Amino acid sequence: MKISKSIKISRSQLLSNKLRTFFSLIGVIIGVSAVIIMVAIGNGAQNEVLSKIESMGTNLIIVNTGQVQKNVGRQQIRGTVTSLTLRDVDMLASECPDVRMAAPVQTKKMQVKWENLSTNTTITGTTSDYQAIRNFQVEKGNFFTEEEDKAYLRVAVLGQTVVNNLFDGRNPVGETIRIGRIPFSVIGVMEPKGSDLNGVDQDDQIFIPIQTALRRVFNLNYINTINVQAASIEEMDNATGQISEVLREQHRLNKQNKPDDFTIQNQIELLETQKETTGTFTALIVSTAGVSLLVGGIGILAIMLIAIRERINEIGLRMAVGASKKDILLQFVIESSILSIAGGIIGIVTGVLASVVIILATDWTLNISIPSIIYSFLFSLAVGLFFGVYPALKASRLDPIDALRSE
């Protein structure tokens, strides 16, 4: 009964000073809503990055020539190394038990023409296995086959960006384009893939058979990258070790005790790195938003101290007619709890609505987290109680006679 009466008294006191109560709630509302929005943004960013990594292929392992270094957040190859060859690709596919398939990749930026139109795009020489390894799907026509690669045929499969630039979105299958000065027949169009982790447009490229690319377009006898698909996610580490062993043997690095002239990266490492990065980012912005909750708690502290000063006579009167120190303590703890609970609820509603508005008004990917809603509410309640205990203790320790004499 005492608690219900205390709640009624607290509610009437808070409603009698609406403006002051509102300002004491602002900090808590902003803090809770900011935590919800920031966690939603962080989770959305993480999910988007992870989906891009997963879209790169299944059980993907990438072998690059030379040593890969990070420069301004992007991976770059240090120096020019010509050690990877098509024979290495065949050896990996045949000698590594935990490798399902391997595809060579050699790229070069070149000018491509169709009739009077031209564009600069990336020419990617590879094999038919590239499709399965990197999860690229054909939208129109066909991808070139192993037989077409071995026959050095001049056939090409276009990305969507190239189709838009050269053909204004029309179906180019059956048309003839020129890569440099060499004519190629368009046999297919790829489904859109969007940008990769480095922001590079994966649709702005043309796929051609690797044999044709090396012999007729690039005039090279080496490749820069090998894309490998492991037999399963559980065998990724084993496959990575087998790839390293085979390549070191192929390049005769063991006999001369030389360091690797290649770099191996697998999908699990990329996932862990991106999770760590986005997790750190989310923790940073959430901790920043949490400062608002502390500010809100200080606001509650200030309001409660003011309330005590204004209600000294009331406190003295209640204690004079039999109210105990525990009753006075409970009264002011309940008031601070009501402030924190109300602020938390309003903050949750505000945060969820703001997240929905952001999703509808922008192209951002947000993922509203139920745990973030629960934790932010509990934290707001804890903040209210923490900052409400001191004023409550101060009120309960007032001398009734001094309180009654106070003006």
Side-chain angles (χ1 to χ4, degrees):
M1 184 65 69
K2 287 184 178 181
I3 294 178
S4 61
K5 285 184 178 180
S6 296
I7 292 174
K8 291 179 180 179
I9 295 171
S10 299
R11 186 175 60 185
S12 62
Q13 285 292 335
L14 293 173
L15 291 176
S16 64
N17 296 282
K18 295 183 179 63
L19 186 61
R20 189 168 68 188
T21 301
F22 171 75
F23 282 115
S24 66
L25 292 175
I26 285 293
V28 178
I29 294 171
I30 292 175
V32 171
S33 59
V35 169
I36 293 172
I37 294 170
M38 293 304 179
V39 170
I41 292 173
N43 288 345
Q46 185 178 57
N47 290 341
E48 189 171 354
V49 170
L50 295 183
S51 66
K52 284 187 177 182
I53 292 176
E54 291 171 356
S55 71
M56 290 170 60
T58 305
N59 309 332
L60 177 64
I61 300 173
I62 299 176
V63 183
N64 288 303
T65 185
Q67 293 295 318
V68 173
Q69 290 184 327
K70 283 190 176 181
N71 185 17
V72 196
R74 292 194 176 187
Q75 296 176 344
Q76 296 181 346
I77 298 174
R78 183 180 64 184
T80 301
V81 183
T82 61
S83 55
L84 291 180
T85 64
L86 295 181
R87 177 173 171 76
D88 291 331
V89 181
D90 295 335
M91 292 299 292
L92 293 182
S94 61
E95 298 296 325
C96 298
D98 294 313
V99 168
R100 181 174 295 163
M101 60 182 74
V105 177
Q106 180 65 41
T107 61
K108 185 178 181 180
K109 199 83 170 178
M110 297 184 67
Q111 187 181 62
V112 179
K113 293 183 178 180
W114 177 71
E115 295 183 348
N116 295 325
L117 300 175
S118 66
T119 184
N120 286 318
T121 187
T122 300
I123 308 301
T124 301
T126 187
T127 62
S128 56
D129 287 337
Y130 184 88
Q131 248 194 303
I133 296 173
R134 294 301 300 267
N135 195 25
F136 272 78
Q137 304 297 324
V138 175
E139 185 178 77
K140 299 174 183 176
N142 301 289
F143 205 80
F144 48 81
T145 63
E146 184 179 354
E147 289 71 23
E148 289 171 321
D149 180 33
K150 290 180 178 179
Y152 296 90
L153 294 186
R154 291 173 293 183
V155 291
V157 183
L158 311 185
Q160 286 287 345
T161 301
V162 180
V163 174
N164 293 334
N165 291 339
L166 281 182
F167 297 91
D168 196 24
R170 291 174 292 175
N171 186 2
V173 176
E175 299 289 345
T176 299
I177 61 174
R178 286 187 174 274
I179 301 176
R181 296 182 179 180
I182 305 171
F184 279 77
S185 297
V186 178
I187 62 171
V189 176
M190 305 302 293
E191 287 185 353
K193 286 282 285 186
S195 58
D196 61 15
L197 290 174
N198 293 323
V200 178
D201 185 3
Q202 298 181 87
D203 301 319
D204 191 11
Q205 60 180 322
I206 297 176
F207 298 95
I208 62 176
I210 187 65
Q211 298 284 4
T212 306
L214 295 179
R215 183 171 179 178
R216 299 186 176 183
V217 181
F218 303 149
N219 192 27
L220 300 173
N221 59 5
Y222 61 88
I223 56 176
N224 283 336
T225 305
I226 302 175
N227 288 175
V228 179
Q229 186 180 76
S232 67
I233 193 72
E234 292 78 14
E235 304 299 334
M236 292 278 278
D237 290 336
N238 290 339
T240 300
Q242 293 164 11
I243 291 169
S244 177
E245 184 178 345
V246 169
L247 289 179
R248 286 190 62 82
E249 185 66 27
Q250 278 290 109
H251 300 173
R252 300 181 179 179
L253 300 177
N254 291 328
K255 293 181 179 180
Q256 302 176 30
N257 197 26
K258 290 185 177 180
D260 293 346
D261 56 4
F262 54 87
T263 302
I264 303 176
Q265 296 173 299
N266 65 51
Q267 206 168 25
I268 294 177
E269 293 173 350
L270 288 174
L271 283 168
E272 292 301 323
T273 300
Q274 292 299 327
K275 281 183 178 179
E276 183 179 348
T277 301
T278 53
T280 302
F281 168 73
T282 302
L284 176 63
I285 59 179
V286 168
S287 61
T288 303
V291 174
S292 298
L293 278 173
L294 294 178
V295 174
I298 295 172
I300 291 175
L301 172 63
I303 293 301
M304 295 304 296
L305 289 174
I306 293 173
I308 290 171
R309 180 177 292 274
E310 290 179 348
R311 294 159 61 188
I312 288 179
N313 285 331
E314 175 196 328
I315 295 170
L317 181 61
R318 290 187 63 188
M319 295 179 75
V321 296
S324 65
K325 291 184 177 182
K326 183 179 178 181
D327 293 331
I328 302 301
L329 176 65
L330 181 63
Q331 176 68 55
F332 285 92
V333 168
I334 287 176
E335 285 191 24
S336 63
S337 299
I338 290 175
L339 285 173
S340 59
I341 291 172
I345 294 174
I346 297 172
I348 289 172
V349 174
T350 304
V352 171
L353 289 177
S355 299
V356 172
V357 170
I358 292 173
I359 293 172
L360 296 176
T362 68
D363 57 354
W364 290 12
T365 301
L366 271 70
N367 185 4
I368 299 173
S369 169
I370 299 300
S372 70
I373 294 175
I374 296 173
Y375 291 143
S376 61
F377 177 75
L378 293 177
F379 187 57
S380 70
L381 179 59
V383 165
L385 290 174
F386 178 79
F387 285 101
V389 166
Y390 171 71
L393 284 173
K394 185 176 180 179
S396 67
R397 291 170 181 171
L398 288 174
D399 184 86
I401 298 175
D402 292 338
L404 287 170
R405 288 176 179 174
S406 177
E407 293 184 2

